[in-house]
Amino acid sequence: MSSSENSPKDREARSRNTTRIASLVIMTAVTAVFTFMIRIPIAPTRGYLNLGDVAIFFSALIFGPWTALISGGLGTALADIVSGYSQWAPLTFFAHGLQGLAAGILFHRIAGPEARLGQRRTTTGLVLAFLAGTVIMAGLYFAAGAFMFGPGAALVEVPGNILQNVAGIVAGTLLWSAVKRAYPPVTRYRW
Amino acid sequence: MKGTRRFDPRPKIILLAAGAVFFFLPLRLEVLGAGLMLLLVPGGLVLKTRLLRVLSSILPILILVALLTPFFYRQGTPIWQMGETVVLTLRGLEETGRLLIRFTGITAVFALFYLTTPAERFLSALEWYGLPFRAALVMSLTLRFIPSLFTLYQRVEDAHSLRRAGELADRNGFFRRFRNLLPTLTSVLIQAVKKIGPLSMSLELQGVGLSSRRTRFVRLPRFRDVAFQFLLVLLILSLLVTVLVIFPQLWYNGAS
């Protein structure tokens, strides 16, 4: 270590950097676990609802757009690779990453740092975050699906993707509020 | 299997990219089919049931493509007409075949790559191609944290179900299940977030962010030791490109 790297300013910068890396690691792992290990069966279709979008919206609301971009994209892409759908991993990385980025930017711009459930601007922020996230995620999957296996089959996936987003914003918002109340220091990890 | 793992991940990444691009090229159906066979036969011999398991997971979507796509194409030679309305054309069938081969091919290319490349070697290869150290660090640490977070989730779930055993006896219904999951997820997230501080401190103590040279746990062979593999991959790709340039009849001309 050179002496210039030991100044208080450098140490602070390094500490901020490692905190960012640590929060990215933890939220990426959370997103991957929520995506491929926690699944709620949907009886009529015999399909599953995964909770990856819940983790993405939670990251966007608590940690901000940049953590949501990386942890959302990387976490879901890793989940795709581990569960044998590696052909989707590159697309998933962009679709879910951009979904988290858009949701995070809109929510924090509109609701501000002191956002609380019940405030008008918080509700507006949540609605716009959901809309942007859904349009980006479902839109990218549809476009890529249409290119890969035709518009007919790609269209069939759209309702499922919208449902994932609805579950994501509903549960993500409830978790955002609950975690912030139970563990207030969480807000210091936003960047 | 051992041989495929000995194959360096760096030239393998070139093959992965080329394989994915190949199935999007506007080639004749027979050419794409031959490409698919060239992947599936040796791949099946090496990976056996593992490849089959991956391919069987895409079967529902392949059936959907086969059922829906033919009716989206009305141009070309009609095969089935109902009165004046053209229901099925040769072009529709060809496009269906193209999409089926494309999706199966891309799935097989990615499956062959990931099933024969350990994650840490893949990360080292990406670093060799220029992936920043911090990005590789995030990815490799994440792979180590996934099992620990899953164990945490199971412990929290067990603890919650012990506290409300009577309530959880009736777990029918999607919304009830979803609602029951929220307290568990809240606890898991709080416990996960609490790990950020210690992890950050441990990274700092290990010198992450300093300018000193980092050591590596996984070390890829020197370039000159695997130059032959790079050469082989480039030779195969050059041969393929040459054949496609010399024989224009291999390309799809859109007439059917």
Side-chain angles (χ1 to χ4, degrees), chain B:
Chain B
M1 189 73 193
K2 268 183 190 161
T4 55
R5 282 185 182 263
R6 227 177 285 141
F7 195 61
D8 196 81
R10 289 164 290 183
K12 233 195 265 182
I13 287 177
I14 301 176
L15 275 182
L16 171 78
V21 169
F22 174 80
F23 288 103
F24 282 102
L25 292 176
L27 294 166
R28 289 179 68 93
L29 209 55
E30 301 88 316
V31 181
L32 290 173
L36 182 63
M37 280 300 137
L38 275 174
L39 264 182
L40 290 184
V41 173
L45 287 173
V46 175
L47 295 168
K48 297 179 181 90
T49 48
R50 293 175 74 198
L51 183 64
L52 206 67
R53 215 177 303 142
V54 172
L55 292 178
S56 64
S57 72
I58 61 162
L59 202 62
I61 211 156
L62 292 181
I63 294 171
L64 211 63
V65 172
L67 291 176
L68 292 175
T69 311
F71 308 105
F72 271 79
Y73 293 88
R74 298 290 159 87
Q75 316 94 319
T77 320
I79 298 176
W80 180 23
Q81 270 180 301
M82 283 175 86
E84 288 292 298
T85 320
V86 176
V87 182
L88 196 64
T89 64
L90 197 58
R91 170 93 197 276
L93 285 183
E94 265 190 19
E95 284 304 320
T96 307
R98 191 177 301 282
L99 293 174
L100 290 174
I101 291 174
R102 178 183 295 169
F103 194 53
T104 315
I106 290 167
T107 305
V109 168
F110 276 87
L112 283 171
F113 180 83
Y114 286 112
L115 292 176
T116 59
T117 314
E120 52 290 2
R121 279 171 65 81
F122 172 50
L123 280 177
S124 302
L126 287 181
E127 256 192 284
W128 190 81
Y129 278 114
L131 182 78
F133 166 74
R134 280 179 202 161
L137 181 71
V138 167
M139 283 166 83
S140 62
L141 283 175
T142 300
L143 289 172
R144 274 154 189 76
F145 264 93
I146 288 173
S148 103
L149 281 182
F150 185 58
T151 313
L152 172 73
Y153 170 76
Q154 283 176 322
R155 279 192 196 145
V156 172
E157 195 182 32
D158 287 346
H160 276 270
S161 41
L162 281 173
R163 286 175 65 189
R164 340 167 265 155
E167 259 177 74
L168 292 177
D170 177 25
R171 284 168 68 105
N172 289 332
F174 170 74
F175 289 105
R176 188 181 294 263
R177 228 177 253 145
F178 194 61
R179 208 182 56 201
N180 281 340
L181 208 57
L182 287 177
T184 310
L185 296 181
T186 309
S187 308
V188 170
L189 283 170
I190 291 170
Q191 290 304 317
V193 167
K194 280 182 176 173
K195 285 177 190 281
I196 294 175
L199 176 62
S200 159
M201 204 183 292
S202 123
L203 289 172
E204 214 176 319
L205 289 173
Q206 285 172 43
V208 171
L210 292 176
S211 56
S212 47
R213 206 178 142 82
R214 312 282 327 159
T215 51
R216 295 275 185 281
F217 184 62
V218 176
R219 208 172 261 283
L220 291 175
R222 282 174 305 182
F223 178 75
R224 62 171 174 215
D225 294 336
V226 289
F228 171 73
Q229 294 182 13
F230 271 97
L231 213 65
L232 188 73
V233 165
L234 292 178
L235 200 71
I236 293 171
L237 293 181
S238 315
L239 201 71
L240 184 71
V241 171
T242 312
V243 169
L244 290 178
V245 170
I246 291 175
F247 300 102
Q249 57 270 42
L250 296 177
W251 295 82
Y252 176 60
N253 58 12
S256 53

Side-chain angles (χ1 to χ4, degrees), chain A residues 107-177:
Chain A
F107 180 75
H108 289 286
R109 278 275 158 88
I110 296 164
E114 299 300 321
R116 266 188 198 87
L117 270 186
Q119 287 176 333
R120 201 173 181 182
R121 55 191 187 152
T122 305
T123 313
T124 315
L126 285 171
V127 170
L128 289 179
F130 161 71
L131 287 176
T134 306
V135 167
I136 288 175
M137 186 269 235
L140 275 175
Y141 270 116
F142 173 73
F147 191 52
M148 271 209 283
F149 46 73
L155 209 60
V156 176
E157 297 210 323
V158 174
N161 284 337
I162 293 174
L163 183 70
Q164 289 266 138
N165 273 277
V166 172
I169 194 73
V170 171
T173 305
L174 293 174
L175 290 171
W176 162 69
S177 170

